[in-house]
DNA sequence: TATTGTTATACTCTATAACTATA
DNA sequence: TATAGTTATAGAGTATAACAATA
C-alpha cells in the first residue's frame, strides 16, 4: 500500500488538502477489489455511463466522464475486446463510433458496482448513512451536476 | 485547461467518481493562482503544516500530509533554498532534520492561503457557505481526522 | 536491526500534438 | 474549416529500491 498518513496530526483543514486526501483514500480502497475483478476505475465508469443512457458516441462518454479522447480509445479498445461493449459506426455521421453495452457488459457493470460499493463502505466508514448521503449530494452540487436522483446502492 | 466535462450528462453518481472529479476541479482551480505566486500545492501544504505546530521533523510532516519521504526531500530542498524554512539536525537524534518556518515562510504561507481560499471560493461556488462548512466537516470526518476546530479562513 | 533522510529510477496517469476520415 | 477517433509521445506526479548516517 502507498502512503497512509500514520494517525498523527492533521494540521491542515484546507479543502484542497482534504479532497486530495479523500481522493487517494477512496482510490486506494476501490482500486484493489476492482482490479481483482479485472477492471480499472475508469473502465467501471465507462460501463456505468453506458448503462445510464445506452447508445452513446465515444465523445459523449468522454464529455460525461471528463476523460480525454485518447484515453477513451484505449479504454474502449479493451472493453470491446473483452466483449463487454460494441463499437459501431454511426450511419448518419460516419465519424462517430456508437457504443452500447452487451449483455456481458451489463453483468460486468453490476459486478463492478458491487465491488465498488463494498469498498466505498469501508473507505467512508466513519460517516453514517445519512452523512454519506449528504456528502454525496454536496459533492454533486459542488460539481454543478444538476439535481439528479441519487440512485443509491441498496443493501 | 485540461479536461472539463462539457455540461452534458453526469450519468454517474458513484462516490469514487464524484470525489475524483471534485479533486480535479479543485486542483485545476487552485494550481494556477498558486503557481503564479510561485508555489505548488504541496509546498503550500508543507508551509501550512509547519505553521500549525512549528518545529517538526521531516518525517512528521510526511506523516501528517501523507507525502512520500522522497518527495518531501525535494519540497524541503526548495523551500529551504528560498529561505522559507530552516532545516537543522536534531541534537537529540541526529538522524532527524527539524524544520521550522522563517519569518518569510510565515508570510509566504499567508500569501498562499489567500490565493488558495480565493480559488476555492470559485471552485466550490455552487455551494453556500453553510454547505461548504458541512462538506468540509464531513470530508474531515470521512478521513478520520478527529474532531478539530474547523479553523475556517475569515473573509 | 530499525529509522531518517537522501538519491536515482521506474511507473502510472494524463495531456499534447499530429494524423485520418469524415462532415 | 471543424469534428470524431486514433496513434505516439511527453510530462506530471508518485512510488520503489538502494544507500548513508545514526540509533
Amino acid at each position: 500500500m502507498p502512503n497512509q498518513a500514520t494517525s498523527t496530526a492533521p494540521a491542515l483543514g484546507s479543502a484542497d488538502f482534504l479532497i486530495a486526501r479523500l481522493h487517494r483514500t477512496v482510490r486506494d480502497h476501490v482500486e484493489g477489489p476492482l482490479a481483482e475483478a479485472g477492471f480499472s476505475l475508469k473502465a467501471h465508469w465507462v460501463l456505468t455511463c453506458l448503462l445510464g443512457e445506452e447508445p452513446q458516441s465515444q465523445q459523449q462518454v468522454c464529455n460525461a466522464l471528463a476523460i480525454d479522447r485518447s484515453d477513451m480509445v484505449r479504454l474502449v479498445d479493451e472493453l470491446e475486446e473483452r466483449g463487454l461493449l460494441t463499437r459501431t459506426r454511426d450511419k448518419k455521421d460516419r465519424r462517430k463510433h456508437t457504443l452500447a453495452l452487451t449483455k456481458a457488459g451489463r453483468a460486468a457493470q453490476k459486478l463492478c458496482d458491487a465491488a465498488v460499493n463494498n469498498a466505498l463502505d469501508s473507505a467512508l466508514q466513519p460517516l453514517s448513512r445519512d452523512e454519506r448521503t449528504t456528502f454525496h449530494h454536496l459533492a454533486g452540487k459542488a460539481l454543478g451536476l444538476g439535481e439528479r436522483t441519487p440512485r443509491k446502492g441498496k443493501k
Side-chain angles (χ1 to χ4, degrees), chain A residues 6 24 49 52 68 72 98 110 130-131 139-140 144 147 152:
Chain A
T6 60
R24 216 165 56 192
C49 182
D68 193 85
M72 190 56 68
T98 301
K110 206 172 167 183
D130 279 359
E131 286 172 329
E147 296 303 308
K152 285 287 302 174

Side-chain angles (χ1 to χ4, degrees), chain A residues 23 32 42 49 63 89 102-103 109 122 132 145 151:
Chain A
H23 172 58
K42 288 187 177 175
C49 182
N63 291 340
R89 285 209 171 276
T102 62
K103 198 171 170 183
Q109 197 283 336
S122 78
R132 269 183 68 171
L145 310 182
R151 260 217 296 139

Side-chain angles (χ1 to χ4, degrees), chain A residues 40-149:
Chain A
S40 66
L41 278 176
K42 288 187 177 175
H44 174 228
W45 296 351
V46 171
L47 294 177
T48 306
C49 182
L50 288 173
L51 191 72
E53 204 177 329
E54 208 156 334
Q56 294 184 60
S57 75
Q58 260 179 240
Q59 187 62 51
Q60 282 179 299
V61 177
C62 286
N63 291 340
L65 301 179
I67 291 177
D68 193 85
R69 303 185 287 175
S70 60
D71 280 337
M72 190 56 68
V73 173
R74 288 183 288 261
L75 283 166
V76 172
D77 276 352
E78 198 203 319
L79 294 173
E80 186 189 24
E81 218 163 77
R82 292 168 64 178
L84 303 177
L85 55 76
T86 58
R87 182 200 239 153
T88 51
R89 285 209 171 276
D90 184 325
K91 294 189 176 174
K92 292 174 185 167
D93 183 345
R94 289 182 43 75
R95 291 173 303 183
K96 294 183 182 174
H97 278 179
T98 301
L99 306 180
L101 288 181
T102 62
K103 198 171 170 183
R106 254 182 289 277
Q109 197 283 336
K110 206 172 167 183
L111 182 76
C112 287
D113 241 36
V116 167
N117 282 325
N118 186 51
L120 284 174
D121 279 343
S122 78
L124 303 178
Q125 201 184 1
L127 298 185
S128 73
R129 194 170 175 70
D130 279 359
E131 286 172 329
R132 269 183 68 171
T133 305
T134 303
F135 183 76
H136 206 269
H137 169 248
L138 291 178
K141 187 167 181 184
L143 287 169
L145 310 182
E147 296 303 308
R148 299 261 160 170
T149 12

Side-chain angles (χ1 to χ4, degrees), chain A residues 11-27:
Chain A
L12 262 170
S14 200
D16 65 317
F17 176 71
L18 291 177
I19 292 170
R21 293 273 292 109
L22 201 54
H23 172 58
R24 216 165 56 192
T25 299
V26 166
R27 188 157 50 65

